[in-house]
Amino acid sequence: MTEQPTSHEGRQPLVARPQERTRPRADSAGSPAVPSPAVSSAVPTPNGPPADMQDLAATTRREGDRLRFTGAATRRIARGIDLDEIVLGLCRATVPTFSDAILVFLRDPLPVGDERPVAPFVLRLRRTDRLRLAEDSGDFSTSALLAGVTGASASPSIDPHTDLTPASELCEVRPGGALSEVLRGVRPVFGDSAAARAALPELLGADRTVPNGHRAILAPLRGRRRVIGAAVFVRRPDRPAFEPNDLLVAAQLATHTALGIDKAVLYGREAYIADELQRTMLPDSLPQPTGVRLASRYLPAAETARVGGDWYDAIPLPGSRVALVVGDVMGHSMTSAAIMGQLRTTAQTLAGLDLPPQEVLHHLDEQAQRLGTDRMATCMYAVYDPVSHRITIANAGHPPPVLLHLGGRAEVLRVPPGAPIGVGGVDFEAVELDAPAGATLLLYTDGLVESRLRDVWTGIEQLRERLAATAQLTGPDHSPPLEALCDDVLDMLGPGDRDDDIALLAARFDGIAPSDVAYWFLEPEDAAPGRARRLARRALSRWGLEELSDAVELLVSEVVTNAVRYAERPVTLRLLRTDVLRCEVGDDSPQLPRQRRARDTDEGGRGLFLVNRLARRWGATRLSSGKVVWFELPTRA
């Protein structure tokens, strides 16, 4: 044996076992000689450094490439927000860099958070990606790869130009089966291992196999609490086989993907809750009150925060009036949305009592203080009367409304600003303004006119100019279409302008002409029902609605008789002719009438039964000074 030189003793730790790959030298007798590891490692190649140093450098490069690939792939997976983006990120990051094909299976249905998964354990093929090679003319299929097109396995030959289904759509994981054991183990395994050879046919289908050799990796996808799926990475036989370190790469990809899917499912549930909350807090549809047309818009600040504290509402009131409400709770959290819902419900209740606008804001202020010391909101509350063509507005720290006149002039209404709701100890003031027919009132929240790029008053002026410019397109004698007007207003927002939620409510004032209104006072006496019948008959004759006389006289007589029975002050009778005939009877008694079924021996109790049978709609509303009972009849058969 040749004695090992001392000059190489310090180098030996730098070489990772090169002697195992060095061919032994033969002596002059032909017998092999075992060389010294240090000496053999120092033999230079003709063209450069020692061969073992080259192997070490190549190994180092491969490991560096592996680390860089893993970092880039996990970053791409992490960029996804929803489920499809995360799965797509995994597929695009691994094909063709890491594998030629990938199959991703996910649990169906996916459990959310701490929910207990439903039984049985079913995996659904969520996505497959594959590499299309130029020599395959785009016809290379994942199924052909899985079936061993190259003949390297004993699997039956499949035409590579036939794009077959790469795997079964659904796979039920049998408890205690081979696939269940692999998924329970969590760690990725090679496709030619005993565990994978038993598990893959169960996952892919009985007629699908993977060629022998390190051409596949089966990686379970485990979320925070449980396995939620599996990924299969496949390489063609003409590529280098998977190495042991590739199992670590597959484990990293599977872990990041599973945790991202867990978060995406939770985010999807939160988005669903937010959508449901929005539909609950905001009106599904606007009413169609007489004498006014309505349109609305709501835009969240961002897709990730779908509900904020902005709201709008339109509430029909007695006397064909309508309350228009727009409010904004400070903040964008779910708490703000919940407070918005409580304030909106309170406003609807107060509107049902027919309180003046300033009183409604006062009670909303008290309600906000009961909800907490830091519960602040702004609100605009307006009541439109189509008969008098007037509107009464009260403001609680909200941006002023804009009125677009029929001729195209846009006017910012002068409404006392008031203090926000929740401040406490302040009075609110209401103003009464003209609401001419054909005019459009625009109520909005500050997200429409205020942003990081402009202050609120600059935004209001831009809104006024935008409305005036839109009105000029339709001419001085025609109002712009209401829905198109709302869309045009929102178009004034630039890409970076939407920093806040936006609620928009537009009201087109049509009004009711004086010639279509008949109004009387009736003394609470026995002769009142007869007089009411005669007055109603004359009004119907003047409007050319004699065919309704019998029904109207009968119903008016019944409602007026009930009002006279309890009233102490004069009873009001009003007929309105629009697309329907509406009759309203008011008195000073707060007790609402109640429909009941009269017995055969009863002398009364059938009035509301007749109203319910003959009228298209009817109702009763309690007022601060009494109540109003109304009914409607169609003017056309």
Side-chain angles (χ1 to χ4, degrees), residues 162-450:
T162 303
D163 198 358
L164 302 178
T165 302
S168 300
E169 182 71 17
L170 292 177
C171 165
E172 182 175 343
V173 181
R174 299 188 302 270
L179 180 58
S180 177
E181 292 300 320
V182 172
L183 296 180
R184 185 182 302 174
V186 177
R187 297 180 183 277
V189 294
F190 285 124
D192 67 336
S193 64
R197 283 199 301 268
L200 282 173
E202 183 181 346
L203 178 64
L204 305 177
D207 56 341
R208 299 297 174 191
T209 59
V210 179
N212 292 331
H214 292 178
R215 295 195 184 92
I217 291 179
L218 173 57
L221 302 178
R222 180 176 178 83
R224 292 186 306 121
R225 297 184 179 274
R226 59 185 62 87
V227 173
I228 60 174
V232 181
F233 305 95
V234 183
R235 280 186 185 175
R236 289 168 56 93
D238 55 356
R239 284 189 62 176
F242 287 114
E243 300 178 1
N245 284 342
D246 290 326
L247 292 179
L248 300 178
V249 175
Q252 286 285 331
L253 298 178
T255 299
H256 281 78
T257 301
L259 294 177
I261 290 173
D262 256 357
K263 294 178 182 179
V265 172
L266 286 173
Y267 168 75
R269 174 62 61 86
E270 291 178 357
Y272 171 78
I273 294 174
D275 288 339
E276 289 299 311
L277 185 60
Q278 176 182 359
R279 280 191 287 267
T280 303
M281 298 299 184
L282 299 176
D284 292 332
S285 60
L286 294 174
Q288 298 178 351
T290 301
V292 61
R293 285 173 285 168
L294 303 172
S296 63
R297 295 290 186 273
Y298 174 81
L299 293 179
E303 287 296 324
T304 54
R306 305 187 181 203
V307 172
D310 294 17
W311 91 91
Y312 62 88
D313 215 340
I315 309 167
L317 300 178
S320 298
R321 296 171 300 147
V322 61
L324 308 173
V325 191
V326 168
D328 182 5
V329 177
M330 296 183 182
H332 298 92
S333 63
M334 287 291 182
T335 302
S336 301
I339 295 172
M340 175 266 285
Q342 295 181 68
L343 293 180
R344 177 173 177 249
T345 302
T346 303
Q348 289 178 330
T349 303
L350 296 171
L353 300 176
D354 200 26
L355 298 178
Q358 65 272 23
E359 290 296 322
V360 172
L361 295 183
H362 175 73
H363 289 293
L364 284 176
D365 180 61
E366 292 181 339
Q367 175 67 9
Q369 294 179 66
R370 285 191 290 268
L371 295 176
T373 56
D374 58 343
R375 308 308 187 195
M376 305 282 288
T378 63
C379 184
M380 182 78 66
Y381 189 93
V383 176
Y384 170 65
D385 189 343
V387 176
S388 64
H389 296 267
R390 304 280 289 178
I391 186 169
T392 305
I393 308 176
N395 188 10
H398 206 75
V402 179
L403 184 65
L404 177 63
H405 293 267
L406 182 60
R409 181 173 63 92
E411 173 188 8
V412 180
L413 297 182
R414 297 180 178 272
V415 180
I421 291 172
V423 172
V426 296
D427 292 329
F428 298 98
E429 183 180 353
V431 295
E432 188 174 351
L433 305 171
D434 288 330
T440 305
L441 181 70
L442 201 70
L443 304 178
Y444 53 91
T445 55
D446 58 356
L448 180 65
V449 295
E450 186 179 20

Side-chain angles (χ1 to χ4, degrees), residues 126-200:
R126 184 77 186 194
R127 184 179 179 89
T128 63
D129 265 17
R130 55 187 169 81
L131 173 64
R132 291 180 179 268
L133 300 181
E135 60 269 21
D136 295 321
S137 302
D139 293 324
F140 171 73
S141 66
T142 307
S143 58
L145 178 61
L146 290 177
V149 177
T150 61
S153 72
S155 304
S157 177
I158 295 181
D159 182 4
H161 298 288
T162 303
D163 198 358
L164 302 178
T165 302
S168 300
E169 182 71 17
L170 292 177
C171 165
E172 182 175 343
V173 181
R174 299 188 302 270
L179 180 58
S180 177
E181 292 300 320
V182 172
L183 296 180
R184 185 182 302 174
V186 177
R187 297 180 183 277
V189 294
F190 285 124
D192 67 336
S193 64
R197 283 199 301 268
L200 282 173

Side-chain angles (χ1 to χ4, degrees), residues 446-499:
D446 58 356
L448 180 65
V449 295
E450 186 179 20
S451 70
R452 290 170 293 181
L453 304 178
R454 61 187 178 188
D455 61 80
V456 61
W457 289 107
T458 301
I460 292 174
E461 180 60 23
Q462 292 178 357
L463 173 61
R464 188 192 66 79
E465 294 175 354
R466 187 59 175 259
L467 290 173
T470 302
Q472 291 177 1
L473 299 177
T474 58
D477 299 329
H478 298 86
S479 300
L482 206 55
E483 297 290 342
L485 180 65
C486 292
D487 293 335
D488 192 67
V489 166
L490 294 181
D491 286 343
M492 65 180 284
L493 298 171
D497 288 350
R498 207 170 82 198
D499 304 323

Side-chain angles (χ1 to χ4, degrees), residues 520-551:
W520 304 279
F521 287 95
L522 304 174
E523 292 296 329
E525 54 189 15
D526 295 340
R531 183 165 181 258
R533 289 194 296 270
R534 292 191 298 273
L535 295 173
R537 188 186 311 115
R538 294 173 187 171
L540 294 176
S541 177
R542 186 170 67 251
W543 292 334
L545 299 176
E546 292 87 352
E547 68 274 9
L548 299 179
S549 294
D550 293 340

